[in-house]
Amino acid sequence: MPHRLDLPAGFRWGASTAAYQIEGAVDEDGRGPSVWDTFAARPGAVRDGHTGAVACDHYHRYPEDIALMKGLGLDGYRFSVAWPRIRPTGEGAVNPAGLDFYDRLVDALLAVGITPLPTLFHWDLPQTLEDAGGWLNRDTAYRFAEYTAIVADRLGDRVPAWITLNEPFVHMVYGYALGIHAPGRALMLDALPVAHHQLLAHGLAAAALRERGLDVLIANNLTPVWPASSADADLAAAEAYDALHNRLFTDPLLLGRYPDLSAYGVGPDLGGSVHDGDLKLITATPLDGLGVNYYNPTRIAAPTEPGLPFAEAPIEGVPRTTFDWPVVPDGLRELLTGLRDRYGAALPPVTITENGCSTTEELDDTFRIDYLAGHLDALAAALAQGVDVRGYYTWSLLDNYEWAEGYHQRFGLVHVDFATQKRTPRASYAWYRDLIAAHRARQAG
Ligand code: FCB
């Protein structure tokens, strides 16, 4: 029996991936090096020294992967465009072969009735731009807008909606504050200009997309923040964490201002990076949709040592993924209703742009099926409580290169044998396919 869900007509079903995690072919057809090539080559940076040099070899095997998507009956496919394929040094000459690849991909998707939903930046910055300061350098925002215009000019006749950035919070914290991801810088709070420059990049790119008549989204990683207790100190810590993780990347877009970061000793100019007029630029092109990536809630307590104004506390008594992430499906409902309550009429329609879990290699992945079923029930509950959610893109279509964890975390509906590149659909693939088909049948009937 397929899982039954009451979702509106026109609700869109999808799956998500990202360029560096699946494409491979890092030296082919004129692609320039990205920060992830550099970081993955650094001894000790990634578990077992894994790199994305081959990944799922999707660059060559995309027809097979699109056939898998067609088998699922997807409405949409979220992938990312590798900036270093389009402009190998991030500025200067355009690489036609890079554009050709995404042109072929888009046509192949459309040929089977799947709408492409590209993300323009999913963390693989051209290395040359990183050498000039990366996202600490304001100029990167302008380079991003140029690159956006180049890609949109080529694909905008067939691709109606675009995601500018993926998870600017995670990129800032993991990439620039803690050094767990590329570019591997550990600047702690000095990383904050990275937040502003990414949002500025979003604003500039959004204007370029809108000028071409295209819809604009951003994909934010959001988390319900749970205070560890009702003690004042824990409540204050939770509020500080919420400002950093959630509000920093959503308030400027929806309310035109930065949240209060005084708990961090940071003023509204984010370390001097905010120039006059920037917030206007960031909001000038209203979002057509907010992409929400949800994995788990975060429990926060008062700090026990000096430094940050919060400490993370464990969430106990729930299942955990192989990544050790707690599984709390209702957190998705809580998050969505919380966004509606916080932003009211300023909240655009929401699309879940990522949600999924890593499991063991097993093909009979009942863990993943339970995970997806629980989260989709939570999504349906949020809809019933009045939140406008338009679609759900699961992470991920394929097992892939999971950043600092290399090939150790398997998020795919489809198992990938990385030695042979053989794809084998898991039980969750059939489950998702049947769920989508049942939903469509109800709409039609
Ligand atoms: C998100 C990333 C995505 C993937 C999932 C598991 O933070 O956007 O690329 O790694 O986590």
Side-chain angles (χ1 to χ4, degrees), residues 21 122-123 166-167 295 325 354 395 402-403 411:
Q21 295 182 274
H122 202 126
W123 305 348
N166 179 66
E167 300 189 349
Y295 289 95
W325 294 355
E354 286 183 27
W395 186 272
E402 177 46 42
W403 310 116
F411 279 88

Side-chain angles (χ1 to χ4, degrees), residues 292-438:
V292 170
N293 295 358
Y294 171 71
Y295 289 95
N296 50 254
T298 310
R299 194 158 160 260
I300 293 293
T304 47
E305 42 190 77
L308 294 170
F310 64 83
E312 208 172 324
I315 293 176
E316 319 266 14
V318 299
R320 307 188 87 84
T321 73
T322 57
F323 221 142
D324 205 30
W325 294 355
V327 178
V328 184
D330 190 59
L332 180 58
R333 186 201 54 76
E334 182 185 335
L335 178 67
L336 292 170
T337 54
L339 283 171
R340 192 262 327 271
D341 295 345
R342 176 173 287 173
Y343 296 109
L347 181 69
V350 170
T351 293
I352 306 305
T353 36
E354 286 183 27
N355 175 246
C357 61
S358 57
T359 61
T360 60
E361 281 213 44
E362 258 176 314
L363 295 177
D364 184 14
D365 54 344
T366 46
F367 189 94
R368 179 170 289 100
I369 292 173
D370 289 347
Y371 183 101
L372 297 177
H375 286 76
L376 284 163
D377 283 339
L379 188 157
L383 270 155
Q385 290 172 31
V387 187
D388 183 0
V389 188
R390 302 277 173 97
Y392 176 88
Y393 289 68
T394 194
W395 186 272
S396 185
L397 178 72
L398 305 168
D399 288 346
N400 60 45
Y401 181 73
E402 177 46 42
W403 310 116
E405 288 285 303
Y407 297 101
H408 292 291
Q409 301 298 339
R410 292 177 174 269
F411 279 88
L413 299 178
V414 176
H415 174 275
V416 177
D417 178 335
F418 292 104
T420 62
Q421 291 297 340
K422 186 174 166 23
R423 277 90 162 124
T424 311
R426 291 194 167 95
S428 59
Y429 176 97
W431 180 88
Y432 197 48
R433 175 196 65 205
D434 293 350
L435 175 90
I436 295 171

